[in-house]
Structure formats: structure tokens, C-alpha cells
PDB file of all heavy atoms in Angstrom:
ATOM      1  N   THR A   3      -6.206  -7.805  10.906  1.00  0.00           N
ATOM      2  CA  THR A   3      -4.964  -7.364  10.518  1.00  0.00           C
ATOM      3  C   THR A   3      -4.888  -5.933  10.135  1.00  0.00           C
ATOM      4  O   THR A   3      -3.975  -5.183  10.408  1.00  0.00           O
ATOM      5  CB  THR A   3      -4.526  -8.230   9.337  1.00  0.00           C
ATOM      6  OG1 THR A   3      -4.568  -9.603   9.753  1.00  0.00           O
ATOM      7  CG2 THR A   3      -3.211  -7.837   8.826  1.00  0.00           C
ATOM      8  N   LEU A   4      -6.024  -5.496   9.446  1.00  0.00           N
ATOM      9  CA  LEU A   4      -6.033  -4.004   9.006  1.00  0.00           C
ATOM     10  C   LEU A   4      -6.419  -3.174  10.055  1.00  0.00           C
ATOM     11  O   LEU A   4      -6.281  -1.955  10.030  1.00  0.00           O
ATOM     12  CB  LEU A   4      -6.858  -3.966   7.788  1.00  0.00           C
ATOM     13  CG  LEU A   4      -6.386  -4.824   6.590  1.00  0.00           C
ATOM     14  CD1 LEU A   4      -7.486  -4.502   5.403  1.00  0.00           C
ATOM     15  CD2 LEU A   4      -5.020  -4.307   6.186  1.00  0.00           C
ATOM     16  N   GLY A   5      -7.053  -3.624  11.119  1.00  0.00           N
ATOM     17  CA  GLY A   5      -7.755  -2.773  12.187  1.00  0.00           C
ATOM     18  C   GLY A   5      -8.890  -1.992  11.850  1.00  0.00           C
ATOM     19  O   GLY A   5      -9.079  -0.876  12.317  1.00  0.00           O
ATOM     20  N   ILE A   6      -9.746  -2.583  10.967  1.00  0.00           N
ATOM     21  CA  ILE A   6     -10.992  -1.926  10.511  1.00  0.00           C
ATOM     22  C   ILE A   6     -12.084  -2.856  10.755  1.00  0.00           C
ATOM     23  O   ILE A   6     -11.898  -4.013  10.992  1.00  0.00           O
ATOM     24  CB  ILE A   6     -10.833  -1.509   9.019  1.00  0.00           C
ATOM     25  CG1 ILE A   6     -10.487  -2.523   8.106  1.00  0.00           C
ATOM     26  CG2 ILE A   6      -9.804  -0.318   8.918  1.00  0.00           C
ATOM     27  CD1 ILE A   6     -10.540  -2.125   6.619  1.00  0.00           C
ATOM     28  N   ASP A   7     -13.339  -2.333  10.439  1.00  0.00           N
ATOM     29  CA  ASP A   7     -14.608  -3.123  10.600  1.00  0.00           C
ATOM     30  C   ASP A   7     -14.759  -4.075   9.501  1.00  0.00           C
ATOM     31  O   ASP A   7     -14.228  -3.854   8.297  1.00  0.00           O
ATOM     32  CB  ASP A   7     -15.780  -2.036  10.640  1.00  0.00           C
ATOM     33  CG  ASP A   7     -17.013  -2.765  11.157  1.00  0.00           C
ATOM     34  OD1 ASP A   7     -16.855  -3.536  12.125  1.00  0.00           O
ATOM     35  OD2 ASP A   7     -18.053  -2.518  10.564  1.00  0.00           O
ATOM     36  N   LYS A   8     -15.440  -5.188   9.713  1.00  0.00           N
ATOM     37  CA  LYS A   8     -15.631  -6.220   8.587  1.00  0.00           C
ATOM     38  C   LYS A   8     -16.393  -5.599   7.496  1.00  0.00           C
ATOM     39  O   LYS A   8     -16.064  -5.922   6.321  1.00  0.00           O
ATOM     40  CB  LYS A   8     -16.579  -7.343   9.235  1.00  0.00           C
ATOM     41  CG  LYS A   8     -15.861  -8.257  10.193  1.00  0.00           C
ATOM     42  CD  LYS A   8     -16.733  -9.373  10.561  1.00  0.00           C
ATOM     43  CE  LYS A   8     -15.965 -10.404  11.519  1.00  0.00           C
ATOM     44  NZ  LYS A   8     -16.822 -11.484  11.893  1.00  0.00           N
ATOM     45  N   LYS A   9     -17.391  -4.671   7.650  1.00  0.00           N
ATOM     46  CA  LYS A   9     -18.059  -4.089   6.579  1.00  0.00           C
ATOM     47  C   LYS A   9     -17.091  -3.235   5.695  1.00  0.00           C
ATOM     48  O   LYS A   9     -17.305  -3.215   4.527  1.00  0.00           O
ATOM     49  CB  LYS A   9     -19.233  -3.237   7.102  1.00  0.00           C
ATOM     50  CG  LYS A   9     -20.298  -4.049   7.706  1.00  0.00           C
ATOM     51  CD  LYS A   9     -21.449  -3.175   8.301  1.00  0.00           C
ATOM     52  CE  LYS A   9     -22.504  -3.968   8.991  1.00  0.00           C
ATOM     53  NZ  LYS A   9     -23.595  -3.193   9.506  1.00  0.00           N
ATOM     54  N   ASP A  10     -16.181  -2.597   6.349  1.00  0.00           N
ATOM     55  CA  ASP A  10     -15.229  -1.794   5.635  1.00  0.00           C
ATOM     56  C   ASP A  10     -14.351  -2.677   4.775  1.00  0.00           C
ATOM     57  O   ASP A  10     -13.897  -2.287   3.590  1.00  0.00           O
ATOM     58  CB  ASP A  10     -14.332  -0.872   6.556  1.00  0.00           C
ATOM     59  CG  ASP A  10     -15.097   0.160   7.291  1.00  0.00           C
ATOM     60  OD1 ASP A  10     -16.227   0.531   6.809  1.00  0.00           O
ATOM     61  OD2 ASP A  10     -14.780   0.546   8.400  1.00  0.00           O
ATOM     62  N   VAL A  11     -13.914  -3.788   5.238  1.00  0.00           N
ATOM     63  CA  VAL A  11     -13.210  -4.847   4.354  1.00  0.00           C
ATOM     64  C   VAL A  11     -13.950  -5.264   3.260  1.00  0.00           C
ATOM     65  O   VAL A  11     -13.449  -5.369   2.181  1.00  0.00           O
ATOM     66  CB  VAL A  11     -12.673  -6.043   5.346  1.00  0.00           C
ATOM     67  CG1 VAL A  11     -12.012  -7.023   4.422  1.00  0.00           C
ATOM     68  CG2 VAL A  11     -11.740  -5.545   6.372  1.00  0.00           C
ATOM     69  N   GLN A  12     -15.248  -5.578   3.438  1.00  0.00           N
ATOM     70  CA  GLN A  12     -16.068  -5.960   2.379  1.00  0.00           C
ATOM     71  C   GLN A  12     -16.130  -4.879   1.320  1.00  0.00           C
ATOM     72  O   GLN A  12     -16.034  -5.294   0.086  1.00  0.00           O
ATOM     73  CB  GLN A  12     -17.430  -6.307   2.937  1.00  0.00           C
ATOM     74  CG  GLN A  12     -17.525  -7.596   3.737  1.00  0.00           C
ATOM     75  CD  GLN A  12     -18.825  -7.718   4.333  1.00  0.00           C
ATOM     76  OE1 GLN A  12     -19.757  -7.012   4.390  1.00  0.00           O
ATOM     77  NE2 GLN A  12     -19.026  -9.033   4.925  1.00  0.00           N
ATOM     78  N   SER A  13     -16.368  -3.700   1.659  1.00  0.00           N
ATOM     79  CA  SER A  13     -16.450  -2.608   0.629  1.00  0.00           C
ATOM     80  C   SER A  13     -15.048  -2.405  -0.027  1.00  0.00           C
ATOM     81  O   SER A  13     -14.979  -2.148  -1.197  1.00  0.00           O
ATOM     82  CB  SER A  13     -17.004  -1.298   1.295  1.00  0.00           C
ATOM     83  OG  SER A  13     -16.028  -0.790   2.286  1.00  0.00           O
ATOM     84  N   LEU A  14     -13.989  -2.636   0.647  1.00  0.00           N
ATOM     85  CA  LEU A  14     -12.707  -2.415   0.118  1.00  0.00           C
ATOM     86  C   LEU A  14     -12.424  -3.489  -1.002  1.00  0.00           C
ATOM     87  O   LEU A  14     -11.897  -3.174  -1.996  1.00  0.00           O
ATOM     88  CB  LEU A  14     -11.617  -2.532   1.207  1.00  0.00           C
ATOM     89  CG  LEU A  14     -10.084  -2.335   0.858  1.00  0.00           C
ATOM     90  CD1 LEU A  14      -9.795  -0.851   0.539  1.00  0.00           C
ATOM     91  CD2 LEU A  14      -9.248  -2.754   2.034  1.00  0.00           C
ATOM     92  N   VAL A  15     -12.845  -4.719  -0.576  1.00  0.00           N
ATOM     93  CA  VAL A  15     -12.629  -5.800  -1.649  1.00  0.00           C
ATOM     94  C   VAL A  15     -13.491  -5.604  -2.842  1.00  0.00           C
ATOM     95  O   VAL A  15     -13.099  -5.816  -3.905  1.00  0.00           O
ATOM     96  CB  VAL A  15     -12.983  -7.139  -0.886  1.00  0.00           C
ATOM     97  CG1 VAL A  15     -13.150  -8.243  -1.933  1.00  0.00           C
ATOM     98  CG2 VAL A  15     -11.967  -7.497   0.173  1.00  0.00           C
ATOM     99  N   ILE A  16     -14.776  -4.995  -2.732  1.00  0.00           N
ATOM    100  CA  ILE A  16     -15.689  -4.739  -3.776  1.00  0.00           C
ATOM    101  C   ILE A  16     -15.024  -3.604  -4.626  1.00  0.00           C
ATOM    102  O   ILE A  16     -15.063  -3.671  -5.848  1.00  0.00           O
ATOM    103  CB  ILE A  16     -17.086  -4.438  -3.275  1.00  0.00           C
ATOM    104  CG1 ILE A  16     -17.619  -5.713  -2.684  1.00  0.00           C
ATOM    105  CG2 ILE A  16     -17.944  -3.863  -4.491  1.00  0.00           C
ATOM    106  CD1 ILE A  16     -18.997  -5.504  -2.017  1.00  0.00           C
ATOM    107  N   GLU A  17     -14.636  -2.586  -4.038  1.00  0.00           N
ATOM    108  CA  GLU A  17     -14.043  -1.459  -4.769  1.00  0.00           C
ATOM    109  C   GLU A  17     -12.726  -1.638  -5.504  1.00  0.00           C
ATOM    110  O   GLU A  17     -12.474  -1.144  -6.541  1.00  0.00           O
ATOM    111  CB  GLU A  17     -13.972  -0.278  -3.761  1.00  0.00           C
ATOM    112  CG  GLU A  17     -15.182   0.331  -3.316  1.00  0.00           C
ATOM    113  CD  GLU A  17     -14.907   1.380  -2.241  1.00  0.00           C
ATOM    114  OE1 GLU A  17     -13.796   1.925  -2.121  1.00  0.00           O
ATOM    115  OE2 GLU A  17     -15.917   1.769  -1.609  1.00  0.00           O
ATOM    116  N   HIS A  18     -11.916  -2.568  -4.861  1.00  0.00           N
ATOM    117  CA  HIS A  18     -10.572  -2.797  -5.295  1.00  0.00           C
ATOM    118  C   HIS A  18     -10.397  -4.315  -5.779  1.00  0.00           C
ATOM    119  O   HIS A  18     -10.122  -5.132  -4.911  1.00  0.00           O
ATOM    120  CB  HIS A  18      -9.466  -2.422  -4.350  1.00  0.00           C
ATOM    121  CG  HIS A  18      -9.580  -0.945  -4.002  1.00  0.00           C
ATOM    122  ND1 HIS A  18      -8.987   0.041  -4.726  1.00  0.00           N
ATOM    123  CD2 HIS A  18     -10.195  -0.306  -2.936  1.00  0.00           C
ATOM    124  CE1 HIS A  18      -9.191   1.162  -4.232  1.00  0.00           C
ATOM    125  NE2 HIS A  18      -9.938   1.000  -3.033  1.00  0.00           N
ATOM    126  N   LYS A  19     -10.522  -4.575  -7.027  1.00  0.00           N
ATOM    127  CA  LYS A  19     -10.428  -5.909  -7.538  1.00  0.00           C
ATOM    128  C   LYS A  19      -9.026  -6.405  -7.578  1.00  0.00           C
ATOM    129  O   LYS A  19      -8.781  -7.621  -7.667  1.00  0.00           O
ATOM    130  CB  LYS A  19     -11.093  -6.056  -8.839  1.00  0.00           C
ATOM    131  CG  LYS A  19     -12.618  -5.712  -8.925  1.00  0.00           C
ATOM    132  CD  LYS A  19     -13.460  -6.724  -8.017  1.00  0.00           C
ATOM    133  CE  LYS A  19     -14.839  -6.468  -8.267  1.00  0.00           C
ATOM    134  NZ  LYS A  19     -15.716  -7.247  -7.303  1.00  0.00           N
ATOM    135  N   ASP A  20      -8.051  -5.448  -7.486  1.00  0.00           N
ATOM    136  CA  ASP A  20      -6.598  -5.801  -7.505  1.00  0.00           C
ATOM    137  C   ASP A  20      -5.988  -6.133  -6.229  1.00  0.00           C
ATOM    138  O   ASP A  20      -4.844  -6.281  -6.163  1.00  0.00           O
ATOM    139  CB  ASP A  20      -5.906  -4.617  -8.204  1.00  0.00           C
ATOM    140  CG  ASP A  20      -5.960  -3.329  -7.365  1.00  0.00           C
ATOM    141  OD1 ASP A  20      -6.890  -3.150  -6.707  1.00  0.00           O
ATOM    142  OD2 ASP A  20      -5.013  -2.557  -7.519  1.00  0.00           O
ATOM    143  N   ILE A  21      -6.840  -6.290  -5.175  1.00  0.00           N
ATOM    144  CA  ILE A  21      -6.313  -6.656  -3.934  1.00  0.00           C
ATOM    145  C   ILE A  21      -5.630  -7.985  -3.909  1.00  0.00           C
ATOM    146  O   ILE A  21      -6.199  -8.906  -4.490  1.00  0.00           O
ATOM    147  CB  ILE A  21      -7.352  -6.551  -2.825  1.00  0.00           C
ATOM    148  CG1 ILE A  21      -6.876  -6.680  -1.421  1.00  0.00           C
ATOM    149  CG2 ILE A  21      -8.473  -7.596  -3.077  1.00  0.00           C
ATOM    150  CD1 ILE A  21      -7.746  -6.388  -0.297  1.00  0.00           C
ATOM    151  N   PRO A  22      -4.364  -8.143  -3.329  1.00  0.00           N
ATOM    152  CA  PRO A  22      -3.704  -9.527  -3.555  1.00  0.00           C
ATOM    153  C   PRO A  22      -4.420 -10.521  -2.675  1.00  0.00           C
ATOM    154  O   PRO A  22      -4.641 -10.345  -1.499  1.00  0.00           O
ATOM    155  CB  PRO A  22      -2.296  -9.220  -2.970  1.00  0.00           C
ATOM    156  CG  PRO A  22      -2.520  -7.930  -2.134  1.00  0.00           C
ATOM    157  CD  PRO A  22      -3.598  -7.105  -2.660  1.00  0.00           C
ATOM    158  N   HIS A  23      -4.773 -11.625  -3.388  1.00  0.00           N
ATOM    159  CA  HIS A  23      -5.444 -12.693  -2.733  1.00  0.00           C
ATOM    160  C   HIS A  23      -5.146 -14.067  -3.449  1.00  0.00           C
ATOM    161  O   HIS A  23      -4.780 -14.088  -4.592  1.00  0.00           O
ATOM    162  CB  HIS A  23      -6.994 -12.439  -2.669  1.00  0.00           C
ATOM    163  CG  HIS A  23      -7.550 -12.441  -3.913  1.00  0.00           C
ATOM    164  ND1 HIS A  23      -7.589 -11.475  -4.815  1.00  0.00           N
ATOM    165  CD2 HIS A  23      -8.387 -13.434  -4.519  1.00  0.00           C
ATOM    166  CE1 HIS A  23      -8.309 -11.781  -5.903  1.00  0.00           C
ATOM    167  NE2 HIS A  23      -8.757 -12.970  -5.796  1.00  0.00           N
ATOM    168  N   ILE A  24      -5.503 -15.101  -2.648  1.00  0.00           N
ATOM    169  CA  ILE A  24      -5.276 -16.528  -3.227  1.00  0.00           C
ATOM    170  C   ILE A  24      -6.561 -17.161  -2.869  1.00  0.00           C
ATOM    171  O   ILE A  24      -7.084 -17.193  -1.758  1.00  0.00           O
ATOM    172  CB  ILE A  24      -3.999 -17.084  -2.553  1.00  0.00           C
ATOM    173  CG1 ILE A  24      -2.885 -16.374  -2.782  1.00  0.00           C
ATOM    174  CG2 ILE A  24      -3.891 -18.535  -2.998  1.00  0.00           C
ATOM    175  CD1 ILE A  24      -1.673 -16.867  -1.949  1.00  0.00           C
ATOM    176  N   VAL A  25      -7.045 -18.053  -3.821  1.00  0.00           N
ATOM    177  CA  VAL A  25      -8.183 -18.882  -3.522  1.00  0.00           C
ATOM    178  C   VAL A  25      -7.796 -20.267  -3.384  1.00  0.00           C
ATOM    179  O   VAL A  25      -7.126 -20.854  -4.361  1.00  0.00           O
ATOM    180  CB  VAL A  25      -9.259 -18.782  -4.677  1.00  0.00           C
ATOM    181  CG1 VAL A  25     -10.461 -19.522  -4.517  1.00  0.00           C
ATOM    182  CG2 VAL A  25      -9.716 -17.233  -4.811  1.00  0.00           C
ATOM    183  N   ILE A  26      -8.103 -20.952  -2.287  1.00  0.00           N
ATOM    184  CA  ILE A  26      -7.651 -22.310  -2.038  1.00  0.00           C
ATOM    185  C   ILE A  26      -8.971 -22.989  -1.636  1.00  0.00           C
ATOM    186  O   ILE A  26      -9.530 -22.706  -0.549  1.00  0.00           O
ATOM    187  CB  ILE A  26      -6.551 -22.521  -1.038  1.00  0.00           C
ATOM    188  CG1 ILE A  26      -5.376 -21.689  -1.495  1.00  0.00           C
ATOM    189  CG2 ILE A  26      -6.258 -23.907  -0.702  1.00  0.00           C
ATOM    190  CD1 ILE A  26      -4.306 -21.607  -0.357  1.00  0.00           C
ATOM    191  N   ASN A  27      -9.347 -24.053  -2.295  1.00  0.00           N
ATOM    192  CA  ASN A  27     -10.708 -24.749  -2.041  1.00  0.00           C
ATOM    193  C   ASN A  27     -11.824 -23.903  -1.819  1.00  0.00           C
ATOM    194  O   ASN A  27     -12.478 -23.968  -0.817  1.00  0.00           O
ATOM    195  CB  ASN A  27     -10.414 -25.700  -0.839  1.00  0.00           C
ATOM    196  CG  ASN A  27      -9.476 -26.832  -1.048  1.00  0.00           C
ATOM    197  OD1 ASN A  27      -9.424 -27.207  -2.345  1.00  0.00           O
ATOM    198  ND2 ASN A  27      -8.798 -27.272  -0.022  1.00  0.00           N
ATOM    199  N   ASN A  28     -12.069 -22.961  -2.596  1.00  0.00           N
ATOM    200  CA  ASN A  28     -13.099 -21.995  -2.556  1.00  0.00           C
ATOM    201  C   ASN A  28     -13.082 -21.081  -1.306  1.00  0.00           C
ATOM    202  O   ASN A  28     -13.989 -20.468  -0.897  1.00  0.00           O
ATOM    203  CB  ASN A  28     -14.497 -22.552  -2.598  1.00  0.00           C
ATOM    204  CG  ASN A  28     -14.704 -23.175  -3.951  1.00  0.00           C
ATOM    205  OD1 ASN A  28     -14.301 -22.724  -4.981  1.00  0.00           O
ATOM    206  ND2 ASN A  28     -15.341 -24.372  -3.981  1.00  0.00           N
TER     207      ASN A  28
END
């Protein structure tokens, strides 16, 4: 969706805890 590498998404999630997300069944 974002058009970036998987590793970049992982670092984005680690750096920005305020990213909008939902947890369903872990």
C-alpha cells in the first residue's frame, strides 16, 4: 500500500508508535 520495502515498514512502525492500527486476534 505504501510502496516501500518491508524493512522500511518495520522501522516506521518501531519509530512511530502513534501509527493508526487495530489488533484483532493478535
Side-chain angles (χ1 to χ4, degrees):
T3 303
L4 298 179
I6 59 176
D7 195 41
K8 286 183 179 182
K9 292 179 182 178
D10 294 335
V11 170
Q12 290 172 352
S13 65
L14 183 71
V15 170
I16 291 170
E17 291 175 13
H18 300 278
K19 299 293 183 186
D20 62 331
I21 188 168
H23 66 281
I24 300 170
V25 179
I26 303 172
N27 292 333
N28 294 326

